[in-house]
Structures are given as C-alpha cells and as structure tokens.
Amino acid sequence: MTAADTSAVPPLAGATQAADDPGARAWIVTGMLVVFMMINFADKAVFGLAADEIRADLGLSATDFGLANSAFFLLFSVAAVVVGLLADRVSLKWLLLVMALLWSVAQVPAALGGGLAVLIGTRVVLGAAEGPAFPVAQQAALSWFPNDRRNLPGALVTLGVTLGVITAAPGLTWVIQNHGWRSALWVVAGVGLVWAAAWFVCGADGRYRDTEAGTAPDAASAPAPGPAPAKSRAWPAYRRVFASRTWIGTTLAYFTSYWCVALMLVWLPSYLKNGLGHSPATAGTLVALPWALGAVVLLGQAALTGWLMRRGVASRWARGRVGAGLLFLGALCFLAVPAADGTAAKTALLIAGCGLGGSFATVAITTVAELAPAARRGGALGTMNAVVTTGGLIAPTLVGRMVDSQGTSGYQNAVVLSAVLLLLGAVVAFVLIDPARDAARTSA
C-alpha cells in the first residue's frame, strides 16, 4: 500500500465537491482521529491517575516512578522521526492502524503482573508505538482540508487529547479505586482494539495529501506520476525546513508547552492530592479541568486564527503571536501559584496555567504544515514532535527527584520551573515564527 492508495475514498468525491468544500467524509475521518487521540492520551493518563497506587503496590520512590514514566519517552522521539519520514511515502491509514494495535497489545504485560522492570519495559514499547501518533493523526486529518480550513480540524484532533483525559479521568479513577490499577490497563487496551477494527473499515487518506498549500488536485491537468525524488534531493529539502527560523521557533515553543503536558499527565494528580490536600475522588475530578479549559482555548484559538487568516492577516500574527500569547498567559498563572493565598486560589491558578500553557499544539502543527513542502510534511512534523517530546523524557524524572529531595514543596517548584520555560517559549514564538516568509525558502 502506497501513499497514493486512496481506494477507500469514493472516486468521484473530489470532482463533485466545490474546491473549498472538504465534504462529509473529511469530517467523519476527522471524528475518528479525535477518538484516536482520546484513546492515545487515556493510555498515557493511566499512570498519573494511579501514581499513588502503583508506588504503594510496587514500593517505588517518586524518582523510581518518574523514571518509569520517562521510559515511555525513550523511543517515543525516535519512533516519531522514523514514522514521520515513512508517512511521506506510506498510507497514513495503515500507519495509524498499526500504531493502535501495537499500543493496545503493549498494555497487556503490565496488566498481567510484574514489577518495576515490566513497568519500564512495557512503557518503552508503548512509547515507541504512540510516539508518532499525534503528528501522523494531524497529517491524516489535514490531508482532507485546504490550508485556510485546517485550523478547525487541527484543533479538533488536538482536542482529542483533552477529551481523552476528561472522559477517562473519572472512569479510570473509579476502576483504579475499585478494581486496581492493572484493571485500568485492560480497559484502555480493549478500547484501543475496538477503535482499530472501526478504523480498518472506515479509515482513508485525504485528497489534499500530496498537494502544495492545500490546493485541491485537478485530475484532468495533473501530470502523470513520475519517479520518487532522489534521496540526494530529499535531505537538502528537509535541511531547509529544519534551518528555518519558523521551524526552530515553533519547535522550541512547542517543547515548553509539551513540558506542561508531561507535568499534567504524570504529576498533577499527585500534586492535587499530596501537595494541595485534595481527596483522591476530588483530585480525579479536578485533574480533568485543565484539559477542559485547554479544549475551550484550543477551539477559541482555532476560531480566532481562522478568522484572522481569512481576512488576510499574516500567519506570523494569526498563528505565531496568538500562540505566543497563550504561552505567556500560562506562564503568568504558574508564577502566581506560590504567591496565592489558600488551596482554592492555588488550585485555580494551577488549572489555568496548565490549560493555557499546554495549548500550543495546534499552532505548532498548522504552522509547520504551512511551512513544509507537501512531500516533506510528514518528516517535518515527525521530527518536530521528536524534539518536542524529549520534554516528556526529562520532566517526569526531574520532578520526581524534586519531590524526593524537597518534599511537597518540590511540586510547587516544578510549577515555577515550568513558568520560566513557558516565558522562553512565548519569546521565541513571538520573534521567530513567520511561516509565509520561510515557506518560499523551503520550497525553493
């Protein structure tokens, strides 16, 4: 199966739709990809929700637990690069199907039993299977839409991350408290297999996948397929993308945002319980609020960005500086946590900082999709994701050591560190991102 194989798409779909109308099939596929990301992040959230139970069951220190979560990202970045490059040549439908099957099966060993070694081993495999998920899912969704209509589907797929935690947190917390943390692994594995079966039947690649700037292909005038670009020409094209100020600025800013995401996934439930004194049931509810706020922010950002771009505002403002503003606001909320008086105020600021600071993903994906030539988009997105997710490799272990050495104040100090990173991300996003300027150079 090749990237050009779109046999699941009705042959006359593109011919019968208006040039700017993606059609119902595009939204069906996008909806399935939203569910895909919901399951993906529910898988990641299990360990954070069961942190205290896992540590008590296996006798782990905070550093050991952080190490097990960091192991998830050991091959995460490598897999993102490899599959991102592969996504420029292979059907996205089949790549997504294989990923869903692999991460469902990877849950089984830890669900059956074992200690820290099994925990780390399965997290490494799970990370390798999930590493490419977000950029490939975004590429698959955006391949159904022209450039000026990509903000909403991009935001919706990113919203799947939020919905995954919002829907999973209360249910998985109940499973963990009543049936044990290993039972929660069986639940997410089963849901993943159900999605894989549905995607096998309904999934397909979009008609904008192999066109520049989201322009619909014209079957009547399109040239006959030629040989694949020579490998000697591929690297210079990628190098121009990776050396651009926009790719560098987007990647650095997204790294700081992903740091917040890693913090939310692994340590937020423990901070709410052990640092701020909330009960396990209350913490299981509160942990969903940053993701709910993030959902509102994502949709608002997508609407604002799309509105600005349709009115001719340059994408350096509509994407880069809107994104910089989100990171800046998140940093301010985090910086206010130590000075806040009372648990309620600290909790509210923590939730606001996480929701705002962790909402840069759609800006990053759509910016790089605009910047990179169509034939190099998968590699550009995958490599960005690989660099960005090293934040997940570092943050859990670092915060675990802070908690072991500083006690509950380690949680608050970790929040201040995140604020500093977000401020740096806001500055580089504001100064460096300008995809319209750099796209002309990368396509040369």
Side-chain angles (χ1 to χ4, degrees), residues 287-361:
V287 76
L289 295 183
W291 303 94
L293 174 61
V296 175
V297 172
L298 282 171
L299 292 175
Q301 174 269 317
L304 176 60
T305 296
W307 181 81
L308 291 171
M309 292 188 70
R310 286 191 296 273
R311 280 153 182 77
V313 176
S315 53
R316 74 176 183 274
W317 284 95
R319 286 177 172 149
R321 293 179 182 176
V322 168
L326 295 177
L327 298 180
F328 181 72
L329 291 174
L332 292 183
C333 292
F334 277 163
L335 287 173
V337 169
D341 185 18
T343 298
K346 287 182 181 291
T347 302
L349 287 168
L350 182 64
I351 288 170
C354 289
L356 290 163
S359 299
F360 193 79

Side-chain angles (χ1 to χ4, degrees), residues 106-318:
Q107 306 281 1
V108 174
L112 290 171
L116 179 60
V118 172
L119 212 62
I120 291 176
T122 56
R123 295 302 279 182
V124 170
V125 174
L126 183 65
E130 292 196 349
F134 183 65
V136 175
Q138 285 280 5
Q139 187 182 4
L142 299 185
S143 72
W144 287 86
F145 297 87
N147 183 50
D148 63 352
R149 299 194 64 176
R150 286 176 172 169
N151 295 294
L152 180 56
L156 290 174
V157 174
T158 306
L159 186 61
V161 173
T162 300
L163 294 176
V165 179
I166 290 174
T167 57
L172 290 177
T173 297
W174 182 88
V175 172
I176 290 164
Q177 291 179 347
N178 291 276
H179 301 284
W181 64 273
R182 297 188 195 273
S183 297
L185 299 181
W186 285 114
V187 171
V188 294
V191 173
L193 291 174
V194 171
W195 184 91
W199 180 253
F200 177 77
V201 175
C202 302
D205 294 350
R207 62 193 178 104
Y208 292 98
R209 174 176 178 179
D210 298 317
T211 62
E212 300 293 342
T215 303
D218 184 347
S221 60
K231 290 183 180 178
S232 61
R233 296 175 56 192
W235 170 241
Y238 282 122
R239 185 174 58 194
R240 286 192 293 271
V241 173
F242 300 150
S244 68
R245 290 166 51 126
T246 293
W247 190 88
I248 293 170
T250 302
T251 301
L252 291 175
Y254 190 14
F255 172 88
T256 68
S257 183
Y258 199 88
W259 182 283
C260 293
V261 172
L263 193 69
M264 283 193 285
L265 283 170
V266 178
W267 288 113
L268 180 60
S270 293
Y271 185 15
L272 291 169
K273 288 183 285 186
N274 304 325
L276 297 177
H278 295 288
S279 69
T282 301
T285 301
L286 289 175
V287 76
L289 295 183
W291 303 94
L293 174 61
V296 175
V297 172
L298 282 171
L299 292 175
Q301 174 269 317
L304 176 60
T305 296
W307 181 81
L308 291 171
M309 292 188 70
R310 286 191 296 273
R311 280 153 182 77
V313 176
S315 53
R316 74 176 183 274
W317 284 95

Side-chain angles (χ1 to χ4, degrees), residues 15 21 55 61 76 82-83 121 214 229 241 243 278 345-346 351 410:
D21 180 14
R55 289 178 59 190
S61 67
F76 193 95
V82 172
V83 178
V241 173
H278 295 288
K346 287 182 181 291
I351 288 170

